[in-house]
Amino acid sequence: MVWPKTTARDAAGQLVIGGVPVPRLAAEYGTPLYIYDEATIRAQCAAYREALVRHYPGRSRVVYAGKAYVSVGLLRLLNEEELWLDVVSGGELQFALAAGFPPARIVFHGNNKSEDELRLALAAGIGAVVVDNHYELDLLERVTAEAQRELDVLVRVNPGVDAHTHAYRRTGQVDSKFGFLIDNGDAQRAVGRILAMPALKLRGYHAHIGSQVFELEPFVQAVERLFAFGREMAARFGVVPEEISPGGGLAIPYVSEDPQPDIDALVRVVAEKVRRAADAAGFPLPRLGLEPGRSIVGPAGVAVYRVGAIKEIPGIRRYVSVDGGMADNIRPALYGARYEAALANRDGPADAVVTIAGKYCESGDILVYDARLPEPRPGDLVAIPAAGAYCLPMASNYNLAMRPAVVLVREGQARLIQRRERIEDLLRREVELER
Ligand code: LLP
């Protein structure tokens, strides 16, 4: 199912999400508009939580990867769902703090954290830093000494696992900018250094293999590598991991033909592997960390656009241009990501095959090739599902596009959680205007 779980059609054929007709939202908040279905977000959070309860007897945590989409409204909701949060920049961290997200439940990731970012994290009382490289250890030594504070850390290792996903979304193979390599001894040296720094408390090992991963086997392999490394470290330094985290990365369906990855199945196989591996190593059951982004918010989001110009290239294709495009969703242009679309203001047989084009000045600005819809007309509303992850956070002001408004819908009520960007927001940076 590529649509949020509350999606329906009313008697007039209008698309309804969270009990609210989409055309009403478009009229009130304008387009492009991103709609998030609260019930779907909460259901995805519950699916992870409940699967962990079902399959894992030890402690666990679900850490939401904020890069998939952050807003204050979303963070408050995820806080209620008792998720943790992974941030990858000072910006995301400050955003989370502004939203009142508990710093002790924030984990800091990144392959080039700056000294200032680490200082900020330490001052905020962040839950843990996932250390990526030796330079970062140099910085951490300095900032913890300066602040006279202790810090929980996990070591991110490069597990050398191929996740079989788009090259830009692979992170766990040997040739990667992320994590400490085991093969050349970097990861082993990192553990040795951390153990020698009294301010750093080594809590465990982390790996992230990639994103939009359909197969479960690579996650199991990542756990295997983490334990193999854990055993080596136990033998060498006598240190036992309190936490094991195989990261995030579970895929979601974008088009109806995509398989439907199962959160319960992922958690079951990972949990089982962790239990067996801990048993074999003679380690107490570690805390199991999972770090999903896309699978929490992706299925909950729908992008809504209004149709404008329609252009027929005889015998080739029909371009149906909408009022958004690569500025709010760069995924088709960047990864060749596929989406499907539906009309939101009326229903009917999907007997037209059209190309949904964005409005920005680039030929590659196409949202959907060969979308099947009822014959679109100017003024129609086009809705694209599975738009909840990695669209808005990668949005730009290309062509000085204003970033879209975002509404959260639930049981017939809509709440604006991010207003549309305005020209004043952009002009505010223009120093010359103030002179
Ligand atoms: N943990 C770490 C360390 C990560 O780097 C990521 C994603 C996640 C967790 C969450 O992965 P997820 O569950 O969302 O797959 N912009 C790309 C995706 C980039 C993913 C980056 N890291 C896209 O639009 O497909």
Side-chain angles (χ1 to χ4, degrees), residues 113-125:
K113 305 172 188 85
S114 72
E115 192 166 338
D116 281 347
E117 287 175 319
L118 291 171
R119 242 183 232 124
L120 183 68
L122 208 62

Side-chain angles (χ1 to χ4, degrees), residues 413-429:
Q413 304 288 320
R415 199 166 97 229
L416 182 69
I417 58 169
Q418 286 184 304
R419 66 160 169 78
R420 184 175 309 286
E421 205 162 26
R422 297 192 279 246
I423 194 68
E424 304 86 78
D425 295 326
L426 304 182
L427 286 172
R428 196 164 293 142
R429 303 176 58 229

Side-chain angles (χ1 to χ4, degrees), residues 155-171:
V155 169
R156 177 167 180 173
V157 303
N158 172 338
V161 170
D162 187 345
H164 305 131
T165 183
H166 191 286
Y168 291 1
R169 281 193 298 260
R170 252 179 255 154
T171 51

Side-chain angles (χ1 to χ4, degrees), residues 130-199:
V130 184
V131 183
D132 179 273
N133 57 75
H134 282 286
Y135 174 70
E136 185 178 339
L137 282 176
D138 298 342
L139 299 182
L140 281 174
E141 186 161 30
R142 202 150 61 224
V143 299
T144 50
E146 199 181 87
Q148 308 233 332
R149 284 181 97 134
E150 295 187 341
L151 182 66
D152 282 1
V153 297
L154 286 104
V155 169
R156 177 167 180 173
V157 303
N158 172 338
V161 170
D162 187 345
H164 305 131
T165 183
H166 191 286
Y168 291 1
R169 281 193 298 260
R170 252 179 255 154
T171 51
Q173 74 287 5
V174 168
D175 180 2
S176 167
K177 70 170 181 172
F178 295 108
F180 290 98
L181 203 57
I182 298 175
D183 295 0
N184 68 353
D186 265 351
Q188 294 84 334
R189 265 196 306 282
V191 170
R193 286 188 66 191
I194 292 167
L195 294 174
M197 293 185 207

